Amino acid sequence: MRLHRLDITAFGPFGSTQSVDFDALSGAGLFLLHGPTGAGKTSVLDAVCYALYGSVPGARQGGQGMHLRSDHAPPGTRTGVRLELSVAGRRLEITRQPPWERPKLRGKGTTVDKAQTWLREYDARAAAWKDLSRSHQEIGAEVEQLLGMSREQFCQVVLLPQGDFARFLRADAEARGRLLGRLFDTQRFADVEKRLAERRRATEARVREGDTALLADAHRMQQEAGDAMEVPEPEPGDPGLAEAVLEAAAVARSTARERLDIAHCRLAAAESAHAAARHALDEARELARLQSRFAEARERAARLAERAGAHREDQERMERARKAEAVAPALELREAADREHREAAQAETRARRALSDVYGDVGMYGDIGAYGRADAHGGADAYRGADAGGLAAAARRAAEELGGLDAARRAERRLAELAGERAGLDRQERADEDVLSEADAWLGGWDATRAALQARLDSAQEAATRAEQLAVQREPMRRRLDAARTRDRLAAGLAQARQQAEESHRRALDARAHWLDLKEQRLAGIAAELAAHLTDGEPCAVCGATEHPAPARKAAGHVDREAEDRALAASQRAEEQHTEDERRLGEVREALAATAEAGDTPTARLAAEADHLEREYARARHDASALHAAQQALRRAEQEREQRLADRQQAAVRAASRLTRRETLEREQALLEAEVEQARGGLGSVAARAAQLERLAARLTEAADAVRAAEDAAQRLKAADARLADAAYRAGFDTPGAAVAALLDPAAHRELQHRLDAWQREEAAVRAVLAEPGTTAAAQLPPADPAGAELAAAAAERRLREAGSARDAAARCCAELDRLSARAAEAVRRLAPLRAEHDRVARLATLTAGTSADNERRMRLESYVLAARLEQVAAAATVRLQRMSSGRYTLVHSDDRTGRGRSGLGLHVVDAWTGRERDTATLSGGETFFASLALALGLADVVTEEAGGVHLDTLFIDEGFGSLDDQTLDEVLDVLDGLRERDRSVGIVSHVADLRRRIHAQLEVVKGRSGSSLRQRGV
């Protein structure tokens, strides 16, 4: 993959369109991307990653959208990135535009445009670009397939993040595993581990579930068998559980069958004894029943003889009642007629009294004689004696007069409606006058009100514009102030850190020189040290001779091994201290270089400027907060003006229509008043006159009906008296009163008949019992003893139930034990293959998880695969690390276990100066940088091969060069420059000033108040 050109618009810190010609930069092989802190060096790499994958690297991710847009971009400029590259023999152009919030084309406010993506390919034959796709998903899949790596792999292999690899060097095995797992996609091996663990848990659960069910059946068999069976001791999951359950079940079944045979014998004997006792009981009960029946019949016959006289009186009373029943219908008719006659007379009295009450009201406007036969001199007394015909005729004449008042009543109701309408017109007129007065007053001051609101709006708008301008300046000012404060704090510690580093370096050199001197002295006198262990007759460890004629002697000041080891330890401690001081010095330098944004401006001056800027910004925001309220106030005032103009016009229209309506109502009112005055007859209203006539007509009608009903009731009563006398004579009674006295009410009749029927039934039943031959014969025998027979039968039945229960319990126990035993045997057969499968899966799961005893290094399957990849990475990194460290360091992979953890992802460095292997966390700051750089380049080579051999022609290295001394920096740059042998172009991202003198091809990021810009040099 080779990058050719990058165009950035409104992206990150770049407010305008910026372009990068990677072809020109790649011509030198090695180029520098530099600029002050915060200028946007990393944003150039973000743009490359966003063009390829539609998202930015690492922690700078988030919602991929409007956060990528530059705050310096004009509102109408859309954010976009265009990248031209060659990959897999094809020249492509990718354009991406994230979603953005732009001003609406019509009206106010903003709207959001969707993200856009284009993919084009250059056709060399046609010498033109052709479109391939505009789909986000298709373009993403095409790019990932061509590059052969995911976004995470691209960011780790092409955009080499040095900080990540420094952490990788010092990380533990788990952290290294997470990074390598993302790069080499070993998730499938982790999935295998997880799948095996899940299968192990699943098979174990199934085996335990089967064993639990088997043990539950054993408990149920023990409940059935009682003391004939003991529950096995093994727990669920124990291989011996099945055999123990089956053995215990066999013993329980044998004992249960023996108990069933004994119960059968006992039940047969109990059944025979129970049958004999039941027969004796039945005979005793039958004899006692017959004897009791005969004695009871004799007692009942005696009681009948005592009640014979009362029975004859009841028969005579029933006979008289039957004769009187022939008179009952006539008697009922006479009582009904009498009741109707009394009710009709009372109703007539009430009706005539009510008519007398109405008479006084009627007399106010006419004599009662006009409605009946009573004349003017008779008055109410004459009217009280009127018959039904006269009262009915008077009621009809009153109803006719009432009907003639309907038109007058309608006219009276219409007059009330007209009065209401005129009152409503008066209210509307007063309301319209108020509307016109208020509208004229408000519209008179409209010009002054509008001018004041417009001035308030303009002032708030100016404040909002000022606040936006000041907001752009706040963040750069805060960064400069923070950088200045950090610069002041670090400047004081730089000289001290440099002095400590120089002193520790001098002490380390002195300690190493002392150790080498002692080592040289010891080697010079090593012969005497070896000779001290020679023994006559024993072979020499050097030459093998058994004779030692002239052994060497120790000279004065001889250095032994202990002295050399102490000097070596002191040298190592001094070197470690020097490494630590160099690391601290590099950190201070890097931190101080990061404060270049502050320049040389004093901190106090920057603080004063920042404080002044904040006060101005706060004041502008406070003034601008009134903008929305001012806009709303002006909008409401304009709406109110339009409404008042409309109200005034509508009031004038309503006034004209009211004048016409008022005249019409006045004419109609005059006509209706004349008609009503004639109809009400001197009363307050036509309704009052109609109410009086309604009451009179109703009372006359009621009185006529009541008189007619009373006359009819009197005739019916006279006819009923005649019928009653005739019926009593025919029934044999002297008078109707005698017939009434002989009658019985239904209750008394039923009671008398019940006594007569009961006597007859009792007499017949006694005769039948005394005539039975069996009963008479039983009475001649001795008294029966059913109680004794019942006791004997109950005892026999109790013994039978006990024997039957014992037999049923034994049979049920045998059947249940047979069923449970068969189920247990079937469960054992089903569990056999499940247990074998569980054993096989468990061995595989523990082996791949690194917990098996067969896995000596406790290495997981994924760790084993990653260890192989890490070993390749270490070998590839060592080639460059040896050159960067002048042959001193070599990276090696280690499978050793650390503590109780698992092995497989250890990473050590071999120091050629000491010949010892140590952890990478002991490297100094500069050593850590070039070791991590070598590791990153080695990882890039391995991942490239893993991804299918895609050739990476363009690489970027992000920061870390500030911790190197001049010599090491030259060696690192030589290694990077050597990458051109593979036709690679390497971009170094750094703000170290010394690199600008060493690398001629440069891409400079220039920071300004209106946004950053790009500038290429040396190409």
Side-chain angles (χ1 to χ4, degrees):
M1 181 199 73
R2 178 179 292 277
L3 305 181
H4 297 294
R5 182 179 179 85
L6 175 67
D7 295 326
I8 307 172
T9 303
F11 184 90
F14 304 104
S16 59
T17 300
Q18 304 293 322
S19 298
V20 181
D21 188 355
F22 284 111
D23 286 335
L25 293 171
S26 300
L30 190 65
F31 64 91
L32 176 67
L33 174 57
H34 69 93
T37 301
K41 301 185 296 295
T42 305
S43 295
V44 176
L45 307 185
D46 290 348
V48 174
C49 184
Y50 180 73
L52 292 173
Y53 294 95
S55 61
V56 296
R60 298 185 295 280
Q61 294 185 63
Q64 295 301 313
M66 290 175 283
H67 79 286
L68 300 175
R69 180 171 176 78
S70 174
D71 294 334
H72 303 286
T77 301
R78 179 159 190 176
T79 302
V81 175
R82 180 183 292 108
L83 178 65
E84 186 179 339
L85 72 158
S86 293
V87 58
R90 301 168 62 185
R91 186 157 183 146
L92 304 175
E93 180 188 80
I94 305 173
T95 302
R96 291 188 187 269
Q97 294 178 348
W100 74 307
E101 188 176 2
R102 62 169 177 81
K104 291 183 178 179
L105 300 178
R106 294 184 179 87
K108 299 180 180 179
T110 60
T111 185
V112 177
D113 280 352
K114 296 182 180 179
Q116 301 289 334
T117 305
W118 295 271
L119 177 62
R120 300 198 304 169
E121 182 177 5
Y122 184 74
D123 189 350
R125 296 180 179 179
W129 292 92
K130 63 178 181 180
D131 294 332
L132 296 182
S133 177
R134 293 175 64 91
S135 169
H136 302 292
Q137 290 77 11
E138 290 180 0
I139 295 174
E142 181 74 11
V143 170
E144 189 162 342
Q145 180 181 2
L146 290 174
L147 295 180
M149 61 184 74
S150 64
R151 180 183 62 81
E152 289 78 8
Q153 291 175 316
F154 178 84
C155 295
Q156 204 74 37
V157 173
V158 178
L159 312 179
L160 303 180
Q162 293 307 303
D164 288 352
F165 280 95
R167 287 190 294 272
F168 182 80
L169 281 174
R170 297 186 175 92
D172 55 12
E174 184 178 356
R176 287 196 184 110
R178 285 196 298 268
L179 175 62
L180 294 174
R182 291 196 305 269
L183 293 177
F184 293 107
D185 191 19
T186 57
Q187 183 61 38
R188 58 187 182 277
F189 300 104
D191 292 341
V192 170
E193 297 177 25
K194 181 178 179 182
R195 176 59 178 165
L196 286 173
E198 291 174 351
R199 287 192 60 190
R200 178 181 62 80
R201 288 191 295 270
T203 55
E204 181 180 5
R206 292 168 63 188
V207 170
R208 283 185 173 275
E209 182 181 355
D211 285 350
T212 301
L214 185 62
L215 193 58
D217 287 342
H219 280 285
R220 284 193 287 272
M221 285 189 283
Q222 193 270 340
Q223 292 174 358
E224 292 291 339
D227 56 0
M229 176 181 177
E230 294 183 359
V231 178
E233 296 181 356
E235 297 293 330
D238 193 328
L241 177 63
E243 182 178 355
V245 170
L246 294 180
E247 182 178 353
V251 174
R253 291 172 62 195
S254 176
T255 303
R257 289 193 181 92
E258 293 176 359
R259 293 177 178 176
L260 179 60
D261 293 340
I262 295 173
H264 274 298
C265 294
R266 291 177 178 175
L267 178 61
E271 287 175 348
S272 177
H274 177 260
R278 291 296 302 177
H279 181 71
L281 176 61
D282 292 341
E283 290 181 350
R285 284 177 176 174
E286 180 62 17
L287 179 60
R289 185 184 69 79
L290 293 175
Q291 291 175 348
S292 174
R293 181 179 177 81
F294 183 81
E296 181 182 359
R298 295 293 296 272
E299 292 177 358
R300 291 164 63 187
R303 287 195 297 269
L304 287 175
E306 292 175 357
R307 298 199 307 269
H311 176 64
R312 286 191 295 273
E313 292 178 358
D314 289 342
Q315 288 177 332
E316 294 174 357
R317 179 78 176 98
M318 179 60 72
E319 183 63 25
R320 289 195 303 273
R322 288 194 183 97
K323 293 178 179 180
E325 287 178 357
V327 186
L331 180 62
E332 292 177 357
L333 290 175
R334 199 274 174 190
E335 291 177 352
D338 183 62
R339 186 170 54 254
E340 291 178 0
H341 179 263
R342 289 195 303 272
E343 291 175 354
Q346 293 173 359
E348 179 183 4
T349 302
R350 288 194 300 272
R352 291 184 181 278
R353 187 181 299 115
L355 186 59
S356 299
D357 295 338
V358 177
Y359 175 77
D361 296 336
V362 177
M364 296 171 58
Y365 55 87
D367 198 323
I368 190 64
Y371 298 98
R373 291 182 298 175
D375 56 16
H377 301 285
D381 293 335
Y383 179 72
R384 292 190 187 97
D387 58 7
L391 292 173
R396 286 194 297 273
R397 288 192 294 272
E400 290 173 359
E401 183 177 355
L402 178 63
L405 296 179
D406 289 343
R409 282 189 289 188
R410 288 195 297 271
E412 190 174 44
R413 287 194 297 270
R414 178 56 182 161
L415 281 175
E417 295 175 358
L418 293 177
E421 289 189 27
R422 294 191 62 181
L425 292 176
D426 294 339
R427 289 193 298 272
Q428 292 177 5
E429 184 174 5
R430 289 192 298 272
D432 287 343
E433 289 175 355
D434 294 340
V435 169
L436 290 173
S437 176
E438 185 179 354
D440 292 339
W442 192 91
L443 292 172
W446 164 246
D447 294 335
T449 301
R450 187 180 187 284
L453 292 176
Q454 187 63 44
R456 176 183 169 192
L457 177 62
D458 295 341
S459 176
Q461 185 67 51
E462 293 175 0
T465 303
R466 175 62 176 162
E468 292 177 358
Q469 295 172 350
L470 294 174
V472 176
Q473 304 173 14
R474 291 173 66 237
E475 184 61 28
M477 178 57 72
R478 281 200 295 266
R479 290 198 301 267
R480 289 187 64 196
L481 180 58
D482 294 341
R485 289 170 176 167
T486 305
R487 176 199 62 197
D488 295 345
R489 185 178 68 255
L490 295 175
L494 180 61
Q496 182 180 359
R498 185 184 296 110
Q499 181 180 357
Q500 290 178 355
E502 292 174 353
E503 291 177 357
S504 62
H505 181 58
R506 183 171 62 254
R507 288 194 296 270
L509 292 178
D510 293 343
R512 182 172 179 78
H514 178 63
W515 168 62
L516 292 176
D517 291 342
L518 291 180
K519 184 174 183 179
E520 185 176 358
Q521 293 176 23
R522 180 169 177 263
L523 291 176
I526 194 67
E529 187 173 334
L530 293 174
H533 300 284
L534 294 177
T535 303
D536 291 338
E538 295 293 333
C540 175
V542 178
C543 63
T546 57
E547 297 181 358
H548 317 294
R553 304 295 181 183
K554 291 183 179 180
H558 175 73
V559 178
D560 56 9
R561 184 178 183 85
E562 183 177 356
E564 181 187 354
D565 290 342
R566 287 196 302 271
L568 175 59
S571 174
Q572 290 175 345
R573 288 194 299 272
E575 182 63 30
E576 291 174 356
Q577 182 62 42
H578 171 59
T579 300
E580 179 63 22
D581 292 341
E582 284 290 343
R583 185 187 63 78
R584 285 199 296 268
L585 177 59
E587 290 177 352
V588 173
R589 282 175 175 170
E590 288 185 358
L592 189 59
T595 63
E597 184 179 5
D600 298 330
T601 307
T603 304
R605 179 179 173 185
L606 289 176
E609 292 178 358
D611 184 60
H612 175 71
L613 179 60
E614 289 294 333
R615 289 196 301 272
E616 290 294 324
Y617 175 68
R619 186 181 301 110
R621 285 200 60 183
H622 178 269
D623 295 341
S625 63
L627 176 59
H628 180 70
Q631 292 173 341
Q632 293 295 326
L634 180 57
R635 187 178 299 109
R636 287 195 298 270
E638 291 175 346
Q639 293 174 353
E640 185 174 0
R641 176 177 176 272
E642 296 296 331
Q643 184 62 39
R644 289 185 180 275
L645 289 173
D647 292 344
R648 187 168 62 178
Q649 182 179 1
Q650 292 173 2
V653 173
R654 289 196 297 271
S657 63
R658 276 197 304 273
L659 181 59
T660 302
R661 181 58 179 168
R662 191 184 298 275
E663 293 175 354
T664 303
L665 293 178
E666 289 177 352
R667 289 193 300 269
E668 185 179 0
Q669 183 177 9
L671 295 174
L672 293 174
E673 286 176 350
E675 180 181 355
V676 169
E677 182 66 25
Q678 181 180 0
R680 63 189 180 185
L683 294 181
S685 64
V686 176
R689 170 67 171 169
Q692 290 177 347
L693 290 176
E694 288 177 355
R695 288 196 302 275
L696 179 60
R699 296 296 183 271
L700 288 170
T701 301
E702 291 174 0
D705 293 340
V707 170
R708 188 177 296 110
E711 292 174 352
D712 294 341
Q715 293 296 328
R716 287 193 296 273
L717 177 60
K718 185 177 180 180
D721 287 338
R723 283 194 297 271
L724 177 60
D726 183 64
Y729 175 77
R730 287 197 301 270
F733 293 98
D734 297 336
T735 64
V740 172
L743 284 173
L744 293 175
D745 57 38
H749 185 276
R750 285 194 300 273
E751 183 181 357
L752 181 59
Q753 185 66 44
H754 176 71
R755 289 199 302 270
L756 294 173
D757 294 342
W759 172 276
Q760 292 176 357
R761 287 194 301 272
E762 181 69 8
E763 185 181 22
V766 169
R767 284 198 302 271
V769 171
L770 294 177
E772 292 176 354
T775 304
T776 304
Q780 306 301 322
L781 297 176
D785 185 15
E790 287 180 356
L791 291 176
E797 184 176 2
R798 183 172 61 256
R799 290 191 294 272
L800 176 61
R801 285 198 303 270
E802 291 174 354
S805 298
R807 192 278 313 270
D808 293 342
R812 186 171 56 253
C813 178
C814 287
E816 185 66 13
L817 288 176
D818 290 342
R819 186 182 67 82
L820 293 175
S821 297
R823 190 167 72 176
E826 179 62 24
V828 170
R829 286 193 295 272
R830 290 197 307 268
L831 276 175
L834 291 179
R835 194 179 301 278
E837 180 185 2
H838 169 63
D839 294 341
R840 182 175 63 258
V841 172
R843 286 196 301 272
L844 286 175
T846 55
L847 184 65
T848 57
T851 58
S852 172
D854 297 334
N855 194 332
E856 297 179 358
R857 294 187 176 275
R858 295 174 58 83
M859 187 182 298
R860 295 171 48 219
L861 176 61
E862 184 183 15
S863 299
Y864 176 78
V865 177
L866 292 177
R869 294 289 188 265
L870 184 58
E871 189 172 5
Q872 297 174 2
V873 171
T878 296
V879 176
R880 297 184 176 87
L881 179 59
Q882 287 183 339
R883 183 174 176 184
M884 294 180 187
S885 63
S886 300
R888 179 179 179 182
Y889 293 118
T890 301
L891 280 175
V892 294
H893 162 256
S894 174
D895 284 336
D896 293 339
R897 293 173 54 187
T898 57
R900 292 183 298 174
R902 298 173 183 172
S903 60
L905 297 178
L907 193 62
H908 292 171
V909 61
V910 179
D911 191 343
W913 290 4
T914 63
R916 294 185 178 181
E917 181 177 320
R918 53 192 173 99
D919 194 270
T920 53
T922 62
L923 294 173
S924 65
E927 292 170 341
T928 297
F929 167 69
F930 60 68
S932 62
L933 176 60
L935 184 64
L937 294 173
L939 184 62
D941 292 340
V942 175
V943 172
T944 300
E945 295 175 1
E946 179 74 12
V950 177
H951 191 62
L952 303 177
D953 300 311
T954 306
L955 298 177
F956 294 93
I957 302 174
D958 193 356
E959 285 300 345
F961 292 89
S963 61
L964 303 179
D965 55 36
D966 293 342
Q967 180 180 355
T968 305
L969 182 60
D970 288 339
E971 293 172 348
V972 170
L973 292 179
D974 288 344
V975 171
L976 295 178
D977 192 53
L979 295 176
R980 288 186 297 176
E981 297 174 359
R982 298 187 180 184
D983 196 22
R984 281 183 175 176
S985 173
V986 180
I988 297 176
V989 183
S990 178
H991 52 58
V992 177
D994 193 33
L995 291 175
R996 293 198 290 271
R997 296 191 299 271
R998 298 170 181 261
I999 302 175
H1000 300 289
Q1002 300 178 7
L1003 177 61
E1004 181 181 6
V1005 184
V1006 182
K1007 182 168 63 175
R1009 292 183 177 273
S1010 60
S1012 299
S1013 59
L1014 297 175
R1015 185 165 52 200
Q1016 295 187 203
R1017 294 181 177 178
V1019 295

